[in-house]
């Protein structure tokens, strides 16, 4: 990631503020609304200083948000039980906590691993991904062979 210390510090501060807002409510829709500010602030920083890693982070986080909200919308529109298991929601916010820490520490390998986990979680919101999740064929862990630290 090739961004200035000032922009990095702005992002870290905003991420932590957003995390506090997310933790301040028990309403899932509110938590998700606050989450959008994370990729929103990334967007604003990219307007000042473009960086391919920030673009990648933005795309993964935005996709994750859209996958979850589409699943929630399907429940309302189709009047069917397509609830997201609590385990997935809990994992989503745990991954977010890990992302904020890795970003603050500028741990590129850890950020990559966490983005893989967000991607897997997003896929679990799709029809086939949820099928795989129910059969324990999809995990929210990163593929360590891609980011082997040895």
């Amino acid at each position: 990631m090739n961004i200035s210390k000032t922009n990095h510090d702005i992002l870290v501060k905003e991420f932590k503020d957003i995390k506090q807002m997310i933790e301040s409510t028990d309403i899932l829709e509110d938590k998700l609304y606050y989450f959008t500010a994370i990729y929103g602030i990334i967007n604003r920083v990219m307007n000042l200083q473009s960086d391919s890693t920030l673009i990648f982070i933005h795309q993964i986080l935005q996709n994750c948000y859209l996958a979850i909200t589409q699943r929630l919308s399907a429940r309302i529109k189709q009047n069917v039980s397509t609830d997201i298991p609590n385990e997935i929601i809990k994992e989503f916010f745990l991954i977010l906590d890990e992302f904020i820490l890795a970003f603050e520490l500028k741990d590129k390998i850890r950020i990559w691993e966490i983005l893989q986990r967000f991607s897997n979680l997003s896929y679990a919101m799709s029809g086939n991904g949820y099928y795989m999740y129910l059969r324990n064929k999809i995990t929210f862990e990163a593929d360590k062979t891609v980011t082997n630290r040895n």
Side-chain angles (χ1 to χ4, degrees), residues 55-65 115 118-119 122:
I55 293 169
F56 184 61
I57 292 169
H58 176 275
Q59 292 300 102
I60 292 289
L61 296 180
Q62 184 178 46
N63 184 63
C64 197
Y65 166 79
L115 292 175
F118 272 125
S119 182
S122 296

Side-chain angles (χ1 to χ4, degrees), residues 26 33 45 73 78 82 112 126 138-139:
D26 293 327
Y33 174 75
V45 167
S73 293
Q78 298 170 2
T82 57
W112 179 261
S126 71
I138 191 169
T139 177

Side-chain angles (χ1 to χ4, degrees), residues 11 13 21 24 28 50 69 79 82 89 99 110 116 126 128 145:
L11 288 170
K13 181 190 178 312
M21 293 172 72
S24 74
L28 177 58
S50 181
T69 57
N79 198 24
T82 57
I89 296 300
F99 168 76
R110 189 70 187 122
Q116 286 181 41
S126 71
N128 191 62
T145 61

Side-chain angles (χ1 to χ4, degrees), residues 92-109:
F92 174 75
F93 291 109
L94 287 174
I95 296 170
L96 179 60
D97 290 347
E98 292 177 32
F99 168 76
I100 293 169
L101 178 61
F103 191 92
E104 181 176 18
L105 298 174
K106 299 180 183 178
D107 186 341
K108 293 177 187 177
I109 292 173

